[in-house]
Amino acid sequence: MVSLLSMINSYLSYINLNVKIKNRIYTAMASVGDFYLLYVSYRFFVNGYWGRGLLFILAFLVIAYFAYLNILYYFTEDKKSQFDVSPWIEKTFHLEAKDPLTDAPKPNNAQAGFVQTNGIFQDTDFLPAEITFSETQKSNLARVVEDLLAVDYLQLDYGGLGERQLFTQAKNGDKPLAMGAPLALPYFELAQDNQGQLKIWGGLNQMQRRDLGTVETVGLMPASEAMERYHLYLATVLLTGGPYRVAGRTSSVEKEAPFALESRVAYRQRGVHGVVKEAETQVAAEFKSEESRVEKVLQRADRELRRRR
């Protein structure tokens, strides 16, 4: 029996399961294995080994108690028992309890918000950009989402939250997103088309880039005016939106919503470098003129000295 449980536990370690599902399996395995201890204690009693039988009965009761607590936690909505000694143990030994469902480490995917940028912009101002989407661009964005899901860059698992947590958040007025948090696209760039419109291109990489949106305004200015006054640089592009949860009568309900983009644009005043370059050219010209004038004065003085000799 012990060998069988060890073998099942070994197989489970190779499978990537949700924390709650895996702990439910472990709870069921512990409950089944506990009754094996009860059978072993019965055999000891039959053969007259009362001391060993009592020890196995004691072990059976202890494991049964903790299996009971785990069944309440992982299989019921209440999750608590009036016979739970955990709070007393935590208070007595000054322990800090961790919830295996909420404190479990999250997978290290690319859900990094504004972390991913086109470089590091220091001492540079940023402006939000308003993006509009044509039907073609919406279709392109949906294809990019499919590509991100295929390579596991994007996961629509609500950040690993369970149904009870999602329902609680929804009841509090939040709308938990299936993608968990806004996600930076792996590749993005800003380009001007033949009609003078600013387009955001993005995707898995430069080879698979698609036209995803049109920048209408930068800050409070139309994009065309912003291009005339500033040099614009696309700092970051975030994928947002998608399916989300709302509170139903007894559980959360998933609602469909389109994906969208959010972006931040870095800008620099046009003409700054031109003015500096023009000033440098003017100074160089004045220096060259002054050098030429001094040279002529020296030549004149040299001729005058030769004439007097």
Side-chain angles (χ1 to χ4, degrees):
M1 184 65 181
V2 175
S3 300
L4 177 62
L5 294 177
S6 299
M7 183 178 64
I8 296 175
N9 180 47
S10 177
Y11 286 146
L12 286 177
S13 65
Y14 294 102
I15 304 175
N16 186 17
L17 294 175
N18 180 277
V19 175
K20 185 174 183 179
I21 295 177
K22 183 175 290 188
N23 285 329
R24 281 182 172 180
I25 295 174
Y26 285 145
T27 300
M29 290 171 55
S31 300
V32 173
D34 193 30
F35 282 97
Y36 176 72
L37 292 181
L38 184 62
Y39 168 76
V40 171
S41 64
Y42 165 74
R43 298 304 305 173
F44 276 127
F45 285 132
V46 169
N47 291 282
Y49 296 99
W50 291 89
R52 295 182 182 181
L54 289 174
L55 288 176
F56 272 84
I57 284 290
L58 179 61
F60 165 79
L61 293 176
V62 171
I63 295 176
Y65 168 73
F66 286 107
Y68 158 73
L69 294 180
N70 275 7
I71 289 173
L72 286 181
Y73 187 80
Y74 292 113
F75 292 91
T76 68
E77 293 294 327
D78 190 20
K79 298 184 181 296
K80 292 183 180 180
S81 170
Q82 59 180 341
F83 305 108
D84 190 359
V85 297
S86 300
W88 177 83
I89 295 176
E90 293 166 12
K91 183 178 180 180
T92 303
F93 296 98
H94 306 287
L95 301 176
E96 183 178 354
K98 292 186 177 181
D99 192 326
L101 298 183
T102 58
D103 296 334
K106 298 295 187 297
N108 185 20
N109 52 28
Q111 312 262 1
F114 277 108
V115 171
Q116 185 162 344
T117 63
N118 271 338
I120 300 174
F121 294 87
Q122 294 181 345
D123 301 325
T124 306
D125 292 326
F126 293 94
L127 289 173
E130 180 185 350
I131 306 171
T132 58
F133 306 92
S134 64
E135 292 302 320
T136 301
Q137 290 168 334
K138 290 179 181 178
S139 176
N140 288 341
L141 185 57
R143 292 182 181 180
V144 169
V145 170
E146 292 176 358
D147 292 340
L148 297 179
L149 288 170
V151 299
D152 205 28
Y153 185 86
L154 170 65
Q155 297 177 351
L156 302 181
D157 60 354
Y158 292 91
L161 297 179
E163 169 58 30
R164 185 176 180 85
Q165 294 167 301
L166 292 172
F167 184 51
T168 301
Q169 291 187 13
K171 283 198 303 182
N172 292 335
D174 298 330
K175 293 183 178 180
L177 294 175
M179 64 186 302
L183 174 68
L185 292 182
Y187 173 81
F188 50 86
E189 67 173 333
L190 187 66
Q192 189 174 6
D193 64 7
N194 297 330
Q195 286 75 37
Q197 291 183 314
L198 274 181
K199 296 295 185 71
I200 292 180
W201 293 74
L204 289 180
N205 49 55
Q206 189 173 11
M207 293 187 298
Q208 297 174 269
R209 67 174 193 161
R210 300 178 188 273
D211 179 10
L212 301 181
T214 303
V215 178
E216 294 293 336
T217 62
V218 178
L220 300 178
M221 293 178 293
S224 57
E225 181 181 346
M227 285 189 292
E228 293 176 359
R229 297 179 57 180
Y230 303 104
H231 294 286
L232 301 178
Y233 309 92
L234 197 57
T236 188
V237 175
L238 295 180
L239 179 68
T240 62
Y244 63 95
R245 293 270 183 171
V246 296
R249 294 185 61 183
T250 58
S251 63
S252 64
V253 180
E254 186 173 74
K255 297 288 186 179
E256 291 295 330
F259 287 92
L261 297 177
E262 293 180 3
S263 69
R264 297 176 72 190
V265 176
Y267 68 95
R268 178 177 292 170
Q269 189 83 31
R270 281 189 180 274
V272 173
H273 294 290
V275 170
V276 172
K277 196 168 185 179
E278 183 179 353
E280 291 176 348
T281 303
Q282 184 177 355
V283 170
E286 291 178 356
F287 180 82
K288 188 174 183 180
S289 176
E290 185 67 19
E291 184 182 24
S292 177
R293 189 180 67 82
V294 171
E295 186 177 357
K296 289 180 180 179
V297 170
L298 291 175
Q299 289 176 355
R300 192 181 302 115
D302 185 57
R303 288 196 300 268
E304 183 67 21
L305 287 174
R306 288 180 180 182
R307 188 180 61 81
R308 289 183 180 182
R309 288 176 184 176

